[in-house]
Amino acid sequence: VIRRTVWLASIAVLVGALAFGGWPRHDAPRTPAQRVEHLATIVRCPTCSGVSVAQSEAPLARSARQEMERQVAAGRSDQDIEDYFIARYGDDALLTPRRGGAVRVAWVLPIGVAAVAVGVVVVGTRRWRRGDPGAGEADVADVRLVEEALEVRR
Amino acid sequence: VTVAGAEEATTGTSTKRRSRARWIAGFVLVAVAALVVVLAMRPAADSETPASPLVGRPAPEVRGTALDGRSVDLAAMRGRWVVVNFFATWGVPCRQEHPELKAYTEAHTGPQSPAVIAIAYDENDIASARSFFAQNGGSWPVVPDAGGHAAVDYGVRGLPESYVVDPAGNIAAHVTGKVTAAAIEAITGNAP
């Protein structure tokens, strides 16, 4: 019983962690400076490769940061500002693609596959421990078959 | 049930299993091969300049006072082709494309002819831009880009970059790197 509980708890933690990672979060920072900082970490530096605006000192990254400050001060939402950069730099304007559509599938699919795999392992292990119930009890025909085989050997 | 029958059944089951395993292995092999082919044919990420999503859309606003004191407003230039050119004098390709832009503007001098607006991206480069134009010529307006707002608004990734705006005010083309007069003529369809 304890083992089963441990197994179930582990599966629940795994699935929960993956689902939490794949679900959109609404914990947007509140102060303007924190919002700019947050946006700078998710928007890709326009002129560099694979780094965020926050990580870059390139002139265009500084300009992008100033644009974020300007738009935050103008009262635009984070979503609006992300849309602004996507409209100008394309879908790869953000370092992490938006969680929706194909991206949601990319998160959910492995969770489903992992759950099925864990289920298969658990069921297989149980069967193996109990003995394969598919084999069942030997019926009369099976017993006769074994006896015939033994006689042939003799 | 006989021994022979059981053996036949066993042989049949293992043949089926083998066949299924072959099918699965074949499927995985084909999938992996397809993936390798797709990845191999894809250009490296660094060698790709993504197309501007602004092409075909209304050009962002360009408004300001040029270095020579002229007022510049892109919206007021509807009906003409306009090349919006982002540059800085410290960029070698920017200096190299200057004669091309000069030749282009000298070939189009009518009131409704195609025009060029230069945007000096680097605020610390303004004095240098002024002396560069004084030395090398060029009659088109040069507008300083305060804080790089225009560059970000146009989705500029590097210098020089040019956006060709059609008479309706939409971006018809985006040229990264050095632009040539011939390339602009090709985009504008040799507009007079």
Side-chain angles (χ1 to χ4, degrees):
Chain A
V1 176
I2 293 171
R3 270 191 190 170
R4 189 192 292 177
T5 310
V6 170
W7 264 107
L8 288 174
S10 306
I11 292 165
V13 168
L14 177 70
V15 172
L18 289 169
F20 178 75
W23 217 252
R25 285 187 279 273
H26 300 286
D27 52 351
R30 292 189 182 164
T31 69
Q34 284 174 325
R35 285 185 55 203
V36 170
E37 199 54 47
H38 167 69
L39 288 163
T41 57
I42 61 170
V43 173
R44 193 185 292 273
C45 164
T47 195
C48 334
S49 183
V51 297
S52 68
V53 163
Q55 292 168 314
S56 173
E57 279 301 312
L60 274 165
R62 286 204 298 270
S63 298
R65 197 185 176 98
Q66 284 180 31
E67 188 60 34
M68 289 167 191
E69 288 167 354
R70 200 182 68 79
Q71 295 199 18
V72 166
R76 300 192 75 194
S77 69
D78 287 8
Q79 177 84 26
D80 290 342
I81 298 170
E82 287 177 27
D83 288 344
Y84 171 88
F85 280 94
I86 290 170
R88 279 144 185 87
Y89 290 100
D91 290 333
D92 67 341
L94 305 183
L95 274 174
T96 310
R98 280 213 169 128
R99 293 167 184 173
V103 175
R104 175 69 53 80
V105 171
W107 275 95
V108 171
L109 198 64
I111 296 172
V113 171
V116 170
V118 169
V120 167
V121 169
V122 168
V123 170
T125 310
R126 269 192 201 166
R127 277 193 181 177
W128 178 65
R129 278 194 183 150
R130 286 183 194 163
D132 186 1
E137 294 293 319
D139 58 14
V140 179
D142 292 331
V143 172
R144 199 179 296 155
L145 182 66
V146 172
E147 283 173 357
E148 280 177 16
L150 289 172
E151 275 176 25
V152 168
R153 291 229 163 180
R154 280 173 208 153
Chain B
V1 182
T2 62
V3 175
E7 277 174 0
E8 268 175 30
T10 312
T11 312
T13 310
S14 67
T15 309
K16 265 187 199 170
R17 277 187 187 161
R18 242 179 269 153
S19 167
R20 195 191 300 164
R22 275 192 201 132
W23 271 105
I24 292 170
F27 176 75
V28 170
L29 195 69
V30 169
V32 170
L35 186 68
V36 169
V37 169
V38 168
L39 292 177
M41 289 176 75
R42 201 167 172 272
D46 286 348
S47 71
E48 238 179 332
T49 303
S52 170
L54 289 176
V55 173
R57 295 180 175 274
E61 182 183 75
V62 175
R63 193 187 290 169
T65 305
L67 297 183
D68 58 7
R70 269 181 286 179
S71 281
V72 175
D73 184 2
L74 177 62
M77 298 170 81
R78 292 278 157 80
R80 304 170 70 178
W81 286 91
V82 181
V83 179
V84 179
N85 171 250
F86 289 85
F87 85 107
T89 60
W90 39 256
V92 174
C94 298
R95 300 171 84 92
Q96 287 174 340
E97 73 177 359
H98 189 82
E100 294 285 336
L101 289 169
K102 195 175 163 204
Y104 184 75
T105 50
E106 284 171 358
H108 301 86
T109 52
Q112 289 302 309
S113 293
V116 174
I117 298 173
I119 306 220
Y121 167 71
D122 186 353
E123 286 174 298
N124 299 320
D125 189 46
I126 300 303
S128 183
R130 211 185 286 275
S131 63
F132 180 78
F133 270 74
Q135 277 174 18
N136 298 284
S139 58
W140 59 96
V142 179
V143 182
D145 188 9
H149 168 68
V152 175
D153 220 18
Y154 271 81
V156 169
R157 291 176 186 269
L159 298 176
E161 280 190 27
S162 300
Y163 295 79
V164 183
V165 181
D166 69 18
N170 296 315
I171 294 181
H174 172 213
V175 181
T176 55
K178 194 169 66 176
V179 71
T180 63
I184 302 171
E185 295 286 10
I187 294 163
T188 61
N190 293 312

